[in-house]
Amino acid sequence: MFTAKASISLYNPRNVIKLTFPGVISCRMILMARSLLSLLAGGAMLLPATALSSSRKPGEPIVERIVIVMRHGIRAPLASEVPQGTRIATPWPRWPVEESRLTPHGIRALETVAAADRRRFIALGVLPRGCAAPGAIRIRTNVSDRTIASGEAYARGIAPGCGLAAEHLEAGAIDPIFEPLRAGATRFDANRAVAEIERFTGGMRALAARHADTIALLDRILGCAPRGTGCTPDAPARVSPSPDGRGIELQGPIRDTSGIAQVLLLQYVEGLPLRDVGWGRADPAALTRIGALHAALFDVFTRSPYMASHQAAVLGRHVMETLADPRGPRIEVLMGHDTNVTALGAVLRTSLRAPGYAVDDVPPGGAILIERLRDRKSGRRYVRLSYRTQSPQALRSGSAAASIRPLTMAGCTHLCPADRFTQLLQSRLAE
């Protein structure tokens, strides 16, 4: 019989599941927990939470630096996410904040996951148990209110009581790290982009046709009266250069439905009453399915090799510079948008998979972690990639539970030699 409070965590490259016992814990309780957790996660290794920090073997590489590319937290819907002309059976539920703003629940969720990240980074030896030295942690955000608020919330969680501030450009500025096309940071050719997107997707009509069943599911959730054309505007599917030539514009079924799918997910993770999540017609399984519509948006804006090379150009170079800078921070957080995370995933040429979400549908607070490691014997340096998310249920409940899944960069191994990582990434970024 153990006389202290205990948490038992199950960890494998795909899942982290934790059971917390508030009182004493016996060996029988541990065995029961082992059985339950094995059922939940397919028989992965069971480790006590208190042992996670000491589970590293003496010969394991040293984690020297971590760059985190993260999406902002839970927010109210954007004004443009539900297109004008969308037909619904019942009015949309109200939100506690103005459009696009981070919610109080979203702020707490980021503080919680940041505190969990902090514990993991302490276990890895990257952070001390107290406040880190000045400059050891750097948080840079885009200039929107939701990214700034997200960076501030994450700072409070990863460095509690330490006065860590989030950095960002002045209001109205365009940060090329997060919005390279708007900033004109690369030699972007909108006409070539359209041609490459059409080739990558097979065309906008074909893209919409592949998602026809999911669009029909979304129509059933919206509950509009049948008229043969669905609940969203009947616009032709096409992608074209933007008027200023610095970007592209999408119209049609994927543009119209992707934002609505995101709004319904946000209702769930915000913790709205289940009767208000898709008017009671969108359970977690349905939300995962329609999340494919939101992910399809990135097939257009970030996933094709041409778009990825430009969307991740400044971000990717910044990551490489931070990893290589001997005077750089031990941990850098780049707090941006789902476009930033999906673009980085695309140049890494890896898929972003997480429990409860469609492939490449990055949830609020979802992040790619890029770690630089040093071999203790040879001194050689490596880069290790992972994708850290929280399930919809964890976000909804305010839990600290997170999934950390390994990523492998195409052309390299999971533990990728640092010079090989730099060579590959550099070759995939536009000038």
Side-chain angles (χ1 to χ4, degrees):
M1 175 87 63
F2 299 92
T3 58
K5 292 183 180 180
S7 292
I8 295 178
S9 292
L10 181 69
Y11 173 80
N12 68 14
R14 296 176 297 174
N15 295 288
V16 176
I17 303 172
K18 179 181 286 186
L19 295 180
T20 301
F21 298 84
V24 296
I25 180 170
S26 67
C27 292
R28 182 179 181 183
M29 292 169 70
I30 291 176
L31 291 173
M32 292 173 63
R34 182 188 298 272
S35 299
L36 175 58
L37 289 170
S38 295
L39 287 172
L40 290 172
M45 184 181 298
L46 182 68
L47 293 173
T50 52
L52 289 176
S53 62
S54 60
S55 62
R56 290 180 297 141
K57 297 178 182 178
E60 286 187 348
I62 297 169
V63 180
E64 296 184 318
R65 189 162 297 162
I66 304 174
V67 179
I68 307 169
V69 179
M70 187 182 306
R71 185 189 177 188
H72 58 73
I74 301 165
R75 56 159 174 80
L78 307 176
S80 60
E81 278 186 302
V82 178
Q84 291 186 355
T86 298
R87 298 184 303 123
I88 54 177
T90 311
W92 292 95
R94 293 184 177 274
W95 282 74
V97 295
E98 296 177 10
E99 67 95 16
S100 82
R101 296 296 181 94
L102 216 62
T103 66
H105 179 72
I107 290 171
R108 290 191 296 271
L110 278 172
E111 292 171 343
T112 298
V113 78
D117 286 347
R118 170 184 169 81
R119 291 190 290 272
R120 179 171 178 266
F121 298 154
I122 290 172
L124 290 172
V126 184
L127 286 182
R129 295 191 177 277
C131 289
I137 306 174
R138 183 168 66 203
I139 299 177
R140 179 165 177 173
T141 81
N142 200 10
V143 298
S144 66
D145 177 86
R146 62 185 178 275
T147 53
I148 293 172
S150 295
E152 292 170 346
Y154 194 87
R156 290 191 295 272
I158 198 171
C162 299
L164 177 64
E167 305 171 8
H168 54 83
L169 301 183
E170 61 184 12
I174 302 174
D175 192 327
I177 289 178
F178 303 103
E179 299 182 87
L181 301 190
R182 283 187 64 211
T186 65
R187 294 193 290 270
F188 180 75
D189 183 332
N191 289 305
R192 181 179 173 188
V194 168
E196 295 288 345
I197 292 165
E198 294 278 7
R199 185 177 299 110
F200 179 75
T201 61
M204 295 303 98
R205 288 191 206 176
L207 180 63
R210 288 198 294 273
H211 293 279
D213 290 345
T214 310
I215 293 173
L217 171 61
L218 181 62
D219 283 341
R220 292 195 292 274
I221 294 171
L222 293 173
C224 67
R227 71 177 186 192
T229 57
C231 300
T232 54
D234 187 21
R238 66 184 186 123
V239 61
S240 57
S242 61
D244 64 4
R246 287 193 170 186
I248 58 169
E249 293 183 346
L250 174 67
Q251 70 174 44
I254 296 301
R255 165 56 83 183
D256 292 339
T257 59
S258 61
I260 299 173
Q262 181 66 180
V263 169
L264 297 176
L265 174 67
L266 290 171
Q267 291 176 348
Y268 184 84
V269 297
E270 169 62 13
L272 295 188
L274 291 177
R275 66 178 180 274
D276 290 335
V277 178
W279 304 277
R281 295 187 287 271
D283 62 14
L287 293 173
T288 301
R289 282 190 61 194
I290 64 174
L293 298 173
H294 190 239
L297 191 70
F298 305 114
D299 286 343
V300 178
F301 285 94
T302 63
R303 295 289 301 171
S304 72
Y306 187 82
M307 290 298 293
S309 70
H310 288 268
Q311 292 277 38
V314 183
L315 171 65
R317 289 191 177 89
H318 183 89
V319 167
M320 290 187 292
E321 290 168 4
T322 300
L323 292 177
D325 184 358
R327 296 170 297 178
R330 298 295 305 277
I331 294 174
E332 180 173 57
V333 180
L334 298 171
M335 187 68 73
H337 309 271
D338 42 16
T339 51
N340 303 127
V341 182
T342 56
L344 181 59
V347 292
L348 295 172
R349 298 182 185 171
T350 187
S351 295
L352 303 177
R353 301 175 184 271
Y357 303 100
V359 178
D360 295 322
D361 187 19
V362 179
I368 293 177
L369 278 62
I370 308 105
E371 299 171 291
R372 190 186 78 181
L373 301 90
R374 176 169 52 83
D375 184 85
R376 293 173 185 268
K377 293 183 178 180
S378 67
R380 294 193 184 100
R381 287 187 165 86
Y382 298 87
V383 172
R384 181 170 63 191
L385 305 169
S386 57
Y387 183 45
R388 196 266 292 131
T389 59
Q390 291 187 277
S391 71
Q393 294 77 11
L395 286 172
R396 180 176 176 84
S397 67
S399 167
S403 165
I404 302 175
R405 294 194 167 195
L407 298 176
T408 300
M409 183 184 198
C412 206
T413 55
H414 175 53
L415 205 61
C416 186
D419 55 353
R420 176 66 173 162
F421 173 84
T422 300
Q423 177 189 31
L424 286 172
L425 184 56
Q426 181 65 49
S427 70
R428 298 170 187 174
L429 302 178
E431 296 293 337

